[in-house]
Amino acid sequence: MEKILVIGALGQIGSELTMAFNEKYGNENVIVADIAEDKNNIYAGNVFEKIDVTDSASIEAAIKRHRIDTIINLAAILSATGEKNPDLAWKINIDGLLNVIRLGIKYKLDRVMVPSSIAVFGPQSVLYNTPQETVLVPNTMYGVTKVVGELLGDYYFKKSGLDFRGIRYPGVISNKTMPGGGTTDYAVEIFYAAVKHKKYTCFLSPESCLPMIYMPDCIRATLMLLEADRSKLRHCGNYNVGAMSFTPEILADEIRKHIPEFTIDYRPDFRREIARYWPASVDDSSARAEWGWKPEWDIEHTVADMLRAIREKNL
Ligand code: NAD
Ligand code: AKB
């Protein structure tokens, strides 16, 4: 793993994961790509390529130009946006993924990493302490693309030896880049609303319980899996990873420990139905056993750190 190409680097996870790569591997070894422009110049110290993941030629040109040996593909349409435009979700999440896989095989890349999601689960899955291997019949197009993505990764690992890796991320909580059209976005929005307005109207319902992870843990898990010894891995792109689980009510109570006047009310929309069939918690024993996963951030410390970081922005 000497030259990494990060596609979708301007998004919620990409903007922080790429910085962690820079720190670990050196900016000169991290090529950054997105379909969007780097308007805020956050990648002034990296080579930035404008790449559309659905355009195989643009990815191939970057692989050849920079002698890429590892691709992290974060380009995706998330659950809520995907329900509004399922064709686009398929195009980016699957056609784009297949481009990355085919080029990974053609150029014999060291490894390819593509995130999956708790969205792979659905009404027929066990929704508490959800096992890694269970029924996967999701109720969103996003979830369908994530199941297909996991299966393609597994298939090409067995058929072509492509080293495909991925985590089923829970909802990711962070304070650098806003989330991009998901069902778990409330768990970021709520902090900005709490700091600015002392109140928040939630699009889920008070009892919607979902697994979540704070960005430092998300980055650490990703680096751990990326660097894990392949001979110790029994899976490819479908690792469950857990950190904490809560409902909007529990999160609001935790925020009130810092902002006593904070209030929350509820106006559930279609995203409540998506959340209803996602797990409340996941069994991540495979990640723990195979590559040593253990979360460090719980709800208490996450809430304190999120509020501190957002207050420092002076919005
Ligand atoms: P995001 O929406 O914040 O970022 C996606 C990035 O991809 C954006 O910068 C966007 O400009 C870029 N992009 C979109 N279409 C593109 C295209 N055609 N070509 C190139 N780039 C394109 O998403 P994220 O939250 O950072 O998610 C990254 C990955 O992690 C996705 O696969 C997502 O499904 C997965 N994931 C995220 C979460 C979460 O809570 N953030 C949870 C589970 C899984
Ligand atoms: C979403 O809500 O769509 C994402 C996810 C959990 O995959 N945050």
Side-chain angles (χ1 to χ4, degrees):
M1 229 177 54
E2 288 177 0
K3 264 284 167 76
I4 304 175
L5 174 65
V6 186
I7 306 176
L10 288 170
Q12 186 194 7
I13 296 175
S15 56
E16 298 203 45
L17 184 60
T18 306
M19 295 307 173
F21 286 157
N22 279 346
E23 216 162 277
K24 193 148 194 168
Y25 307 116
N27 296 41
E28 67 283 10
N29 297 315
V30 184
I31 308 302
V32 181
D34 205 288
I35 196 169
E37 305 281 351
D38 181 13
K39 286 191 192 124
N40 297 326
N41 220 13
I42 64 169
Y43 294 122
N46 292 81
V47 173
F48 183 88
E49 296 275 0
K50 194 152 192 298
I51 287 180
D52 178 348
V53 76
T54 64
D55 171 19
S56 182
S58 66
I59 308 172
E60 185 162 14
I63 293 175
K64 288 205 265 189
R65 191 158 44 243
H66 303 292
R67 298 178 180 276
I68 297 298
D69 59 28
T70 301
I71 296 185
I72 316 293
N73 177 31
L74 304 170
I77 298 296
L78 276 70
S79 57
T81 310
E83 283 315 278
K84 291 181 190 151
N85 196 340
D87 290 351
L88 183 68
W90 182 270
K91 187 165 180 248
I92 293 176
N93 299 8
I94 296 300
D95 295 350
L97 169 67
L98 273 170
N99 285 339
V100 171
I101 287 178
R102 289 189 187 115
L103 291 167
I105 294 166
K106 181 171 174 186
Y107 287 91
K108 298 189 171 42
L109 298 188
D110 275 1
R111 64 203 66 170
V112 163
M113 187 176 239
V114 185
S116 186
S117 161
I118 51 164
V120 294
F121 302 112
Q124 295 167 54
S125 311
V126 178
L127 294 180
Y128 290 88
N129 202 27
T130 305
Q132 188 151 308
E133 325 283 353
T134 184
V135 181
L136 300 180
V137 185
N139 61 346
T140 59
M141 178 53 92
Y142 174 66
V144 170
T145 67
K146 289 300 179 186
V147 173
V148 174
E150 289 182 2
L151 293 173
L152 287 171
D154 197 53
Y155 174 78
Y156 283 108
F157 171 65
K158 289 181 183 135
K159 187 178 163 72
S160 309
L162 180 72
D163 188 347
F164 185 98
R165 305 179 183 200
I167 290 171
R168 286 174 181 157
Y169 292 131
V172 180
I173 302 173
S174 70
N175 51 59
K176 300 258 180 335
T177 304
M178 291 304 280
T183 300
T184 58
D185 294 10
Y186 94 85
V188 176
E189 289 172 5
I190 193 172
F191 289 100
Y192 288 87
V195 170
K196 275 167 83 175
H197 310 298
K198 317 249 179 297
K199 60 177 187 197
Y200 178 66
T201 300
C202 185
F203 56 75
L204 300 184
S205 53
E207 71 283 358
S208 303
C209 189
L210 293 169
M212 300 279 177
I213 190 167
Y214 194 32
M215 188 61 93
D217 264 351
C218 173
I219 302 294
R220 206 166 48 81
T222 306
L223 288 171
M224 286 174 83
L225 177 59
L226 189 64
E227 295 186 338
D229 179 351
R230 179 78 249 180
S231 67
K232 303 238 164 59
L233 302 181
R234 292 181 44 247
H235 302 82
C236 291
N238 65 344
Y239 282 99
N240 279 2
V241 155
M244 60 188 120
S245 287
F246 52 75
T247 64
E249 268 312 76
I250 292 171
L251 182 55
D253 285 345
E254 195 61 43
I255 290 173
R256 265 191 289 273
K257 290 183 188 165
H258 303 261
I259 307 174
E261 62 275 41
F262 175 67
T263 59
I264 184 166
D265 62 0
Y266 295 89
R267 208 176 301 140
D269 65 18
F270 71 102
R271 290 170 282 189
R272 175 179 58 177
E273 287 309 297
I274 296 178
R276 196 166 150 200
Y277 297 112
W278 284 1
S281 56
V282 295
D283 172 359
D284 58 6
S285 46
S286 294
R288 287 172 187 255
E290 292 170 41
W291 44 275
W293 168 244
K294 195 165 181 271
E296 288 180 351
W297 287 83
D298 58 13
I299 182 172
E300 188 187 339
H301 293 94
T302 299
V303 167
D305 200 58
M306 280 293 286
L307 292 173
R308 177 203 53 75
I310 292 166
R311 279 178 176 138
E312 277 174 12
K313 289 177 193 258
N314 284 324
L315 296 169

